[in-house]
């Protein structure tokens, strides 16, 4: 009878479709397993050991700059201690707003080894204005002067302020572009750096 | 790479801007085609807004509860604009739960809601890839190919461009006005998106230079993508065989 033949054909088509879709799904999953195995990560694929770049996971570009008292400070000589590098200018309002928080954190954690370096982008600022600003606020951490703009260039500075959290091995753990940073944010990042330094 | 757009004294973080633009465009697209799932644009907008607000509040509260010592010196930091003071995982989970509760209160099925939101997810996925181009995140593994790019001290796969192209291809295939999508069963449209997205991630993760790896060098994101793929292939098969006509 025709209706039985139709039902039979429909059932057969459904079965064929199911078998076909099952085979496709199984093929996709087996191919996926093969691809995962083939694309296993080799050390060279993922290693950034010794690579220098101004981003998280890479070695922080080294620099030597003079501070307010003409002492030369070199980043690589601070290895073994966590460092906050804050690039700023005295005309930049968010930079000015976040300085008190940086001072608070410096005071709270300097005895545990934290170093705060405020690198003034002097090539686009006025050194005297920067010194006046830091004196008015009573900042006690080193203010360095990037007179040639070499640090701004090495760190590919795009916006002020920009802050780099560098661990005791000289590796950048986080970059915060813009500001002002809240004291809470600084405290959490510093605690993490110190935890890595003294687990 | 363009992490910051400087307009006079204002520095705009490009990756965040692109993501916000992606959410907005995605929701606009989802609202436009909401009627296909017998939903209204207003419902989609209110659902997204409710989830977003709840997610943001939960993300900040989650962060405060996780690091209470950080706020002990300055309580007002709880209201800080810093994006770094959010617990994104908590925010994501709470946002999803609140959105689901909202949908349930409006007595709208989860499948219809997910289908309606799929165009938004697809656009957001492209926006996320574009934000990676702007920030230099999700960078590729070292490679010396004619199309390699110089990034972070090495010639690398342009992995951010690969993922953007994959996102565009997925959105193109799943563009909501396509006729072949009209015959899908409730939930199938969303599952198709997740399957395609997981497959793309599984394939493209191989070219990433920042993968988290498990024991033996296997990339964690590939294993997770494979599991999602397997679950969704099973779910779509069940959907097709156990449900009635669309």
């Amino acid at each position: 009878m025709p209706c039985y033949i139709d039902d039979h054909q429909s059932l057969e088509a459904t079965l064929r479709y199911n078998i076909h879709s099952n085979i496709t799904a199984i093929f996709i999953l087996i191919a996926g397993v093969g691809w995962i195995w083939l694309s296993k990560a080799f050390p060279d694929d993922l290693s950034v050991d010794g690579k220098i770049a101004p981003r998280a996971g890479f070695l922080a570009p080294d620099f030597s700059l003079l501070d307010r008292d003409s002492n030369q400070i070199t980043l690589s000589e601070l290895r073994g201690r966590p460092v906050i590098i804050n690039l700023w200018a005295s005309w930049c309002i968010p930079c000015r707003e976040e300085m008190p928080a940086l001072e608070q954190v410096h005071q709270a954690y300097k005895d545990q080894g934290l170093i705060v370096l405020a690198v003034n982008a002097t090539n686009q600022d006025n050194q005297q204005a920067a010194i006046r600003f830091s004196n008015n606020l009573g900042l006690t951490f080193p203010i360095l002067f990037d007179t040639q703009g070499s640090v701004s260039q090495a760190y590919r500075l795009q916006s002020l302020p920009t802050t780099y959290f560098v661990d005791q091995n000289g590796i950048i753990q986080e970059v915060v572009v813009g500001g002002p940073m809240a004291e809470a944010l600084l405290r959490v990042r510093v605690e993490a750096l110190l935890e890595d330094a003294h687990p | 790479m363009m992490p910051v757009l400087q307009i006079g004294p204002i520095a705009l973080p490009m990756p965040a801007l692109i993501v916000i633009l992606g959410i907005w465009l995605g929701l606009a697209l989802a609202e436009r085609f909401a009627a296909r799932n017998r939903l209204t644009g207003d419902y989609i907008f209110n659902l997204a807004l409710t989830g977003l607000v709840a997610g943001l509040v939960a993300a900040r509260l989650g962060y405060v509860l996780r690091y209470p010592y950080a706020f002990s010196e300055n309580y007002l930091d709880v209201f800080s604009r810093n994006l770094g003071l959010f617990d994104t995982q908590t925010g994501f989970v709470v946002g999803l739960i609140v959105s689901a509760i909202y949908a349930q209160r409006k007595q709208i099925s989860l499948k219809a809601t997910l289908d309606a939101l799929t165009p938004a997810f697809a656009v957001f996925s492209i926006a996320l890839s574009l934000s990676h181009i702007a920030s230099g995140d999700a960078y590729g593994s070292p490679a010396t190919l004619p199309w390699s790019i110089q990034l972070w001290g090495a010639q690398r796969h342009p992995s951010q461009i690969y993922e953007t192209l994959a996102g565009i291809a997925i959105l193109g295939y799943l563009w909501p006005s396509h006729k072949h999508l009209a015959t899908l069963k409730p939930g199938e449209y969303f599952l198709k998106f997740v399957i395609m997205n997981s497959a793309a991630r599984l394939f493209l993760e191989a070219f990433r230079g920042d993968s988290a790896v498990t024991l033996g060098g296997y990339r964690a994101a590939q294993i997770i993508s494979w599991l999602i793929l397997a679950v969704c292939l099973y779910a779509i098969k069940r959907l097709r065989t156990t449900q009635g006509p669309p």
Side-chain angles (χ1 to χ4, degrees):
Chain A
M1 294 205 283
C3 71
Y4 290 142
I5 290 167
D6 278 355
D7 281 353
H8 180 72
Q9 281 174 342
S10 160
L11 185 68
E12 204 170 84
T14 309
L15 273 173
R16 257 205 312 274
Y17 171 77
N18 280 343
I19 290 167
H20 182 254
S21 68
N22 281 348
I23 290 170
T24 309
I26 289 166
F27 173 78
I28 290 171
L29 292 175
I30 290 172
V33 171
W35 184 244
I36 291 171
W37 183 78
L38 270 176
S39 57
K40 271 198 309 184
F42 292 101
D44 280 356
D45 290 343
L46 304 178
S47 173
V48 292
D49 285 352
K51 289 204 173 76
I52 299 166
R55 72 158 284 126
F58 289 75
L59 205 56
D62 196 18
F63 57 80
S64 279
L65 293 174
L66 296 177
D67 70 2
R68 278 177 289 192
D69 304 317
S70 299
N71 299 314
Q72 183 156 303
I73 295 182
T74 302
L75 179 65
S76 55
E77 289 174 2
L78 302 174
R79 286 281 167 81
R81 301 175 69 172
V83 180
I84 296 177
I85 303 168
N86 177 252
L87 273 70
W88 70 288
S90 63
W91 49 261
C92 150
I93 293 165
C95 306
R96 297 166 73 101
E97 286 176 352
E98 70 185 13
M99 282 299 178
L102 276 167
E103 178 62 26
Q104 289 286 335
V105 169
H106 170 64
Q107 291 296 338
Y109 293 99
K110 64 179 180 184
D111 293 338
Q112 294 177 55
L114 176 72
I115 304 276
V116 178
L117 300 177
V119 178
N120 177 255
T122 320
N123 61 323
Q124 47 179 313
D125 198 3
N126 179 308
Q127 188 163 344
Q128 291 311 312
I131 291 171
R132 257 198 319 276
F133 170 74
S134 60
N135 287 342
N136 287 345
L137 242 62
L139 302 178
T140 56
F141 48 77
I143 307 288
L144 310 179
F145 298 101
D146 183 23
T147 52
Q148 304 300 314
S150 56
V151 175
S152 297
Q153 200 175 359
Y155 280 77
R156 297 188 203 165
L157 181 65
Q158 303 238 3
S159 174
L160 288 168
T162 299
T163 307
Y164 301 85
F165 294 87
V166 182
D167 71 13
Q168 79 278 11
N169 299 314
I171 308 290
I172 297 173
Q173 291 300 325
E174 188 173 347
V175 182
V176 176
V177 179
M181 286 181 297
E183 190 181 327
L185 183 140
L186 284 163
R187 283 180 180 272
V188 172
R189 273 42 175 194
V190 169
E191 288 277 351
L193 289 178
L194 289 168
E195 203 172 299
D196 285 347
H198 314 290
Chain B
M1 220 183 81
M2 191 178 171
V4 175
L5 178 66
Q6 191 82 38
I7 303 173
I10 303 166
L12 299 170
M14 281 300 284
L17 270 183
I18 293 169
V19 166
I20 291 167
L21 192 68
I23 293 173
W24 178 65
L25 283 175
L27 284 176
L29 187 66
E31 281 178 46
R32 193 177 151 202
F33 289 98
R36 291 176 66 94
N37 298 290
R38 298 183 186 88
L39 301 175
T40 64
D42 283 349
Y43 166 73
I44 297 294
F45 178 79
N46 290 334
L47 177 87
L49 188 68
T50 309
L52 204 64
V53 171
L56 280 174
V57 172
R60 178 54 58 88
L61 279 177
Y63 198 90
V64 174
L65 292 173
R66 197 167 159 193
Y67 304 106
Y69 65 87
F71 297 86
S72 59
E73 294 294 318
N74 192 348
Y75 298 115
L76 289 177
D77 280 354
V78 171
F79 304 104
S80 163
R81 286 171 296 152
N82 287 173
L83 295 174
L85 292 176
F86 286 110
D87 184 344
T88 45
Q89 285 165 345
T90 304
F92 183 71
V93 171
V94 171
L96 276 185
I97 292 169
V98 170
S99 298
I101 292 169
Y102 179 85
Q104 200 180 28
R105 285 177 69 99
K106 294 282 175 188
Q107 295 180 322
I108 291 170
S109 83
L110 183 66
K111 286 175 187 170
T113 302
L114 289 173
D115 281 346
L117 285 173
T118 295
F121 296 144
V123 173
F124 179 72
S125 166
I126 297 170
L128 201 62
S129 313
L130 291 172
S131 82
H132 290 156
I133 292 177
S135 66
D137 287 341
Y139 55 85
S141 56
T144 47
L145 299 161
W147 59 88
S148 291
I149 54 166
Q150 181 71 29
L151 187 63
W152 309 128
Q155 287 281 318
R156 298 178 182 279
H157 277 287
S159 52
Q160 302 97 332
I161 294 173
Y162 297 161
E163 61 174 328
T164 305
L165 293 176
I168 292 169
I170 291 170
L171 179 63
Y173 180 75
L174 294 177
W175 187 256
S177 66
H178 282 338
K179 286 203 174 83
H180 70 98
L181 300 174
T183 57
L184 297 180
K185 292 181 173 171
E188 205 175 334
Y189 184 40
F190 172 71
L191 283 174
K192 272 189 174 225
F193 167 73
V194 180
I195 286 169
M196 293 178 80
N197 218 33
S198 307
R201 183 68 196 268
L202 196 159
F203 179 67
L204 294 178
E205 184 68 20
F207 307 107
R208 288 272 290 264
D210 62 343
S211 300
V213 290
T214 61
L215 216 61
Y218 297 105
R219 296 169 196 259
Q222 283 185 318
I223 294 170
I224 293 166
S225 299
W226 188 89
L227 289 172
I228 293 172
L229 192 62
V231 169
C232 289
L233 282 170
Y234 175 73
I236 208 165
K237 185 184 156 36
R238 262 186 74 88
L239 203 66
R240 282 171 177 169
T241 51
T242 58
Q243 276 201 349

